[in-house]
């Protein structure tokens, strides 16, 4: 276990030592850097479109680079200068545990995958610099994350959580239904009963068919739904809409998501390329 960082994002000595084991290929580094810069410029250009979209977020959304099934060297490459990228997303608890031990604690990890109750406490307790868990869909899991965060020796800061909403209603997707009492109750549970959690906002994945059909004229219904769900939830909780973020938009549909107010996009394959099968993935 590492000692808590006194203050800053300065890599700690332990980090430097463990990261030294990770080789970086210059060719790969150049591809990744170019891909990331290209995404940043596509994000910026949504803001410069005329006329501007009515629901644009107040500021440029956070970019979470989704590094699941990709090696630690890819993450270190983008975390190092010149890109110095900080937010990375992972889907599997075991893989995230391994990567977080190898990589600098200045990385801000997002857990975005399907969350199993039996791993929730460990996730919140044992991943140093876990910044957010985006796939909370039950009071039980929130309680277990809260318990894990309370036991974490790495931080006293509350863990940010997003409630996952199943905006498309597909049976294969997790998440609570948009217009439900379950959603309001879960949000209240997090706010009132989970001292070590902070309700950061709502997350959706959305239907692939809707991403494919998205154009500036035909906006994605999942993203409209998440925004409207957020507005109603904020009202039910008696808080400002802007105090709840929207995490929506992936490689295929992030521009449409930003036009609908996304505060955070989660992009994997457009940065890192196709992912290997889970059985073939290697951290080192
Ligand atoms: C894999 C994944 C992403 C990234 O998907 P890409 O299409 O590769 O950009 C985003 N969000 C979640 C929840 C994911 O599981």
């Amino acid at each position: 276990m590492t000692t808590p960082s006194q203050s800053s994002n300065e890599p700690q000595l332990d980090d430097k030592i463990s990261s030294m084991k990770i080789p970086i290929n210059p060719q790969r580094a150049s591809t990744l850097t170019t891909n990331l810069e290209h995404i940043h410029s596509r994000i910026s250009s949504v803001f410069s479109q005329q006329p501007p979209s009515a629901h644009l977020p107040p500021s440029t959304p956070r970019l979470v680079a989704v590094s699941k099934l990709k090696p630690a060297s890819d993450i270190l490459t983008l975390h190092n200068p010149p890109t110095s990228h900080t937010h990375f997303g992972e889907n599997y608890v075991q893989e995230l545990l391994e990567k977080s031990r190898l990589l600098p604690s200045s990385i801000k990890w997002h857990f975005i995958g399907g969350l199993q109750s039996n791993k929730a406490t460990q996730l919140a307790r044992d991943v140093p610099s876990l910044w957010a868990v985006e796939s909370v869909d039950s009071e039980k899991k929130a309680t277990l994350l809260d318990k894990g965060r309370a036991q974490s020796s790495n931080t006293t800061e509350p863990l940010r959580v997003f409630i996952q909403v199943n905006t498309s209603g597909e049976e294969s997707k997790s998440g609570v239904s948009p217009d439900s009492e379950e959603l309001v109750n879960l949000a209240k549970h997090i706010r009132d009963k989970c001292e070590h959690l902070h309700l950061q906002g709502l997350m959706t994945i959305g239907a692939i068919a809707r991403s494919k059909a998205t154009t500036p004229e035909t906006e994605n219904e999942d993203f409209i739904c998440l925004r409207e769900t957020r507005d109603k939830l904020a009202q039910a909780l008696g808080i400002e809409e802007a105090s709840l973020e929207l995490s929506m938009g992936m490689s295929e549909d992030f521009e449409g998501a930003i036009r609908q107010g996304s505060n955070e996009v989660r992009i994997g394959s457009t940065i890192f390329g196709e992912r290997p099968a889970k059985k073939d993935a290697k951290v080192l």
Side-chain angles (χ1 to χ4, degrees):
M1 193 106 330
T2 52
T3 46
S5 153
Q6 280 88 359
S7 58
S8 60
N9 285 341
E10 278 286 292
Q12 296 176 324
L13 191 58
D14 285 358
D15 291 340
K16 289 186 186 147
I17 293 166
S18 57
S19 307
M20 278 189 319
K21 290 186 264 175
I22 302 173
I24 289 183
N25 171 329
Q27 188 103 44
R28 177 72 176 154
S30 141
T31 304
L32 291 173
T33 306
T34 308
N35 291 351
L36 189 74
E37 282 165 359
H38 189 217
I39 297 288
H40 279 301
S41 65
R42 284 174 61 186
I43 292 173
S44 306
S45 71
V46 179
F47 284 86
S48 52
Q49 275 156 16
Q50 291 301 330
S53 311
H55 299 291
L56 280 183
S59 55
T60 310
R62 178 184 310 119
L63 170 57
V64 176
V66 177
S67 47
K68 62 182 177 216
L69 307 175
K70 290 290 174 176
S73 55
D74 279 4
I75 300 169
L76 188 60
T77 298
L78 291 180
H79 185 57
N80 282 344
T83 41
S84 305
H85 193 78
T86 49
H87 292 269
F88 290 88
E90 291 284 337
N91 284 52
Y92 308 102
V93 171
Q94 198 53 43
E95 184 180 346
L96 175 52
L97 280 166
E98 281 176 49
K99 286 175 172 173
S100 68
R101 282 183 199 125
L102 285 166
L103 288 160
S105 57
S106 43
I107 289 178
K108 297 180 160 98
W109 296 106
H110 294 238
F111 184 81
I112 63 173
L115 181 60
Q116 291 169 275
S117 297
N118 63 2
K119 303 220 173 110
T121 306
Q122 186 189 25
L123 172 68
R125 185 188 57 215
D126 296 344
V127 176
S129 57
L130 182 64
W131 199 83
V133 173
E134 307 210 5
S135 40
V136 177
D137 60 2
S138 74
E139 294 186 16
K140 180 181 174 192
K141 290 177 200 177
T143 301
L144 292 167
L145 288 171
D146 186 55
K147 181 175 146 207
R149 189 69 163 195
Q151 292 169 1
S152 167
S153 55
N154 298 296
T155 180
T156 50
E157 180 186 69
L159 173 63
R160 298 163 193 81
V161 295
F162 291 79
I163 298 175
Q164 185 172 349
V165 179
N166 186 353
T167 52
S168 58
E170 293 166 290
E171 254 178 60
S172 61
K173 297 240 155 71
S174 338
V176 300
S177 1
D179 224 342
S180 63
E181 203 156 323
E182 192 189 357
L183 172 63
V184 178
N185 290 342
L186 176 53
K188 287 183 176 163
H189 176 81
I190 294 167
R191 183 189 64 184
D192 302 335
K193 304 272 167 60
C194 301
E195 208 189 318
H196 306 279
L197 304 183
H198 170 73
L199 180 61
Q200 188 78 10
L202 303 180
M203 184 275 255
T204 188
I205 297 180
I208 293 163
R210 289 181 182 166
S211 313
K212 298 227 158 98
T214 300
T215 63
E217 294 77 36
T218 321
E219 289 296 354
N220 188 313
E221 289 170 64
D222 285 309
F223 301 152
I224 297 172
C225 173
L226 196 69
R227 174 166 47 74
E228 292 177 349
T229 301
R230 187 270 312 270
D231 295 351
K232 283 186 218 156
L233 178 62
Q235 195 164 33
L237 297 175
I239 57 176
E240 298 271 336
E241 288 164 5
S243 66
L244 292 175
E245 292 188 352
L246 299 173
S247 170
M248 58 188 195
M250 323 203 300
S251 287
E252 294 297 319
D253 55 19
F254 69 90
E255 284 137 325
I258 299 168
R259 288 195 298 269
Q260 290 306 320
S262 178
N263 306 102
E264 176 184 285
V265 293
R266 311 175 309 267
I267 300 180
S269 44
T270 305
I271 299 171
F272 297 102
E274 293 287 298
R275 286 179 284 271
K278 194 164 181 233
K279 66 172 174 47
D280 300 326
K282 291 196 180 66
V283 168
L284 278 176

